[in-house]
Amino acid sequence: MKMALDVAMMTKGQTGKNPPVGAVVVKDGSIIGMGAHFGYGQPHAERQALASCSVDPSGADIYVTLEPCSHHGKTPPCTDAIIEAGIRNVFYAEQDLNPKVSGHEVLARAGLHVECMPSDETRALYREFFNHLERGRPNITLKCAVSADGRLALADGTSRWITGQAARTDVHYERNVHDAILVGAHTLLGDDPLLTTRIEGGGRSPRPVVLLGSGALREDLEIFRHPKRPVIYTTNEDNLKYEDRCDVKIGDWSLEDVLRDLYEMKLTSLFVEGGASVHTSFIKEGLYDRIFLYVAPKIFGESTHSLFKEGIPSMDGAVQLELVDVEKLGPDLKITYRKA
């Protein structure tokens, strides 16, 4: 099961609306096949593992990180493949919360021994998948770089570069495992970012999303060079003249409306790199799951540029977070929080 988890982890962030899954087939004490799910619409891990078997899998055991599917979707049920292959024992780590899935019941009814083997590691792997299933919106990660005294920028707005190269490289790895990346009008028009993933081997660039409000797009914006078509939410109908280069969505969009719309596009994870106003909106409405805080060993002093722009009148009203991890990246720290 540990090997199945390792295989699943290799595809984390690359499978779109589907979860990462790993499977290993064992016969007579030897591994004879393994597989992973590589993307939405592609064969599931169980079918990949069975197809890779070096010998006949009849009578073998299969270890899977998630309960095998039992319904027809983009691909046929994995339970059918497992039964047809003559598998004897099925061990899976996490029960699938999708109400369409009843793999355990289907396999047991067919006479196979079926056993759930949950672990903290697999539970952590599928937390985000179950979260977006239950909430009907993308998993949301807020990212910001701050000084040691919690400032997003100097008093005059200067913010490039707060952190060092190691932290900036880590941000690109995080972009690589998210489906979409969101910024606000100030970041788009002021910083003119490209919003691609720049890591060795190329990586996968998330689809750019902009909360533009009444702002106006410009012909020379870097975002128009992005390999994926940008999505622009705006109240300014003049932006429709750029419809050939991006998806322009006119209207007074609330954050919840935007998130539902992105989810309907099968974008299940969102990396928010906006400035103070954008982060304040997400935090105020409780629309986030994690916060990545990259902290540089610098003091900026008096500045109005902070992560959360609104005053909190009492300690009881403070935004509560749960500390998940602290990592040293060169001279900087990466602190991961989860919404409490």
Side-chain angles (χ1 to χ4, degrees):
M1 190 63 82
K2 175 65 168 62
M3 184 173 288
L5 176 62
D6 289 342
V7 172
M9 290 295 291
M10 292 178 186
T11 65
K12 184 180 180 184
Q14 309 298 312
T15 55
K17 198 168 185 175
N18 287 352
V21 180
V24 176
V25 184
V26 179
K27 186 173 184 178
D28 298 328
S30 297
I31 292 169
I32 63 169
M34 64 176 65
H37 177 52
F38 293 108
Y40 186 68
Q42 296 189 43
H44 288 185
E46 298 94 320
R47 288 182 176 271
Q48 296 274 23
L50 290 169
S52 76
C53 285
S54 56
V55 298
D56 182 3
S58 178
D61 304 335
I62 190 167
Y63 293 80
V64 192
T65 55
L66 187 66
E67 181 181 6
C69 68
S70 55
H71 65 291
H72 283 270
K74 286 282 186 181
T75 58
C78 290
T79 50
D80 288 357
I82 291 171
I83 294 168
E84 290 166 6
I87 294 295
R88 181 182 58 185
N89 299 305
V90 178
F91 303 95
Y92 66 93
E94 292 297 321
Q95 180 183 4
D96 195 331
L97 299 185
N98 186 336
K100 296 179 181 179
V101 174
S102 57
H104 187 124
E105 180 183 341
V106 169
L107 293 168
R109 195 164 55 237
L112 284 71
H113 171 76
V114 189
E115 187 176 335
C116 183
M117 299 172 58
S119 69
D120 291 341
E121 291 83 359
T122 50
R123 195 167 296 115
L125 175 63
Y126 292 116
R127 180 182 289 113
E128 294 179 10
F129 172 63
F130 294 147
N131 183 58
H132 80 68
L133 268 182
E134 292 169 349
R135 301 190 181 198
R137 64 157 173 80
N139 290 305
I140 302 166
T141 300
L142 308 183
K143 168 263 169 182
C144 58
V146 298
S147 62
D149 52 346
R151 308 300 185 188
L152 296 175
L154 296 173
D156 65 359
T158 302
S159 60
R160 184 173 288 187
W161 295 100
I162 295 177
T163 56
Q165 185 59 53
R168 297 200 297 273
T169 298
D170 187 77
V171 169
H172 284 279
Y173 278 101
E174 292 296 348
R175 288 181 180 183
N176 179 61
V177 297
H178 284 79
D179 293 337
I181 181 170
L182 182 146
V183 298
H186 180 79
T187 298
L188 178 74
L189 303 176
D191 296 346
D192 192 18
L194 181 56
L195 301 179
T196 54
T197 295
R198 296 184 290 281
I199 57 177
E200 187 176 349
R204 181 190 69 150
S205 291
R207 190 171 184 183
V209 178
V210 182
L211 303 182
L212 190 58
S214 61
L217 295 170
R218 300 194 309 266
E219 184 73 30
D220 62 345
L221 286 172
E222 286 288 298
I223 201 172
F224 289 136
R225 296 197 301 111
H226 197 283
K228 293 183 179 174
R229 191 173 172 87
V231 185
I232 312 295
Y233 294 93
T234 178
T235 58
N236 187 346
E237 294 188 5
D238 288 343
N239 291 316
L240 287 170
K241 62 187 177 184
Y242 295 100
E243 276 189 312
D244 61 326
R245 306 178 71 180
C246 59
D247 291 344
V248 180
K249 304 209 169 197
I250 304 294
D252 189 14
W253 293 82
S254 69
L255 274 185
E256 288 190 344
D257 290 339
V258 167
L259 295 174
R260 275 195 295 269
D261 192 49
L262 294 175
Y263 197 63
E264 288 176 3
M265 296 182 212
K266 296 182 171 55
L267 300 171
T268 61
S269 56
L270 180 65
F271 200 52
V272 179
E273 289 197 29
S277 296
V278 169
H279 281 114
T280 297
S281 297
F282 275 89
I283 293 172
K284 185 178 179 180
E285 296 191 29
L287 294 172
Y288 66 98
D289 301 292
R290 296 183 301 179
I291 297 177
F292 290 161
L293 208 59
Y294 293 88
V295 184
K298 303 172 183 177
I299 294 176
F300 285 178
E302 190 64 33
S303 171
T304 59
H305 302 281
S306 59
L307 173 62
F308 192 69
K309 294 176 65 175
E310 297 197 0
I312 296 175
S314 69
M315 194 62 72
D316 291 339
V319 177
Q320 299 294 322
L321 303 172
E322 177 186 343
L323 179 64
V324 176
D325 188 44
V326 179
E327 182 181 0
K328 193 173 188 299
L329 298 171
D332 308 312
L333 291 179
K334 178 186 180 183
I335 306 176
T336 302
Y337 292 105
R338 191 161 48 228
K339 184 169 66 172

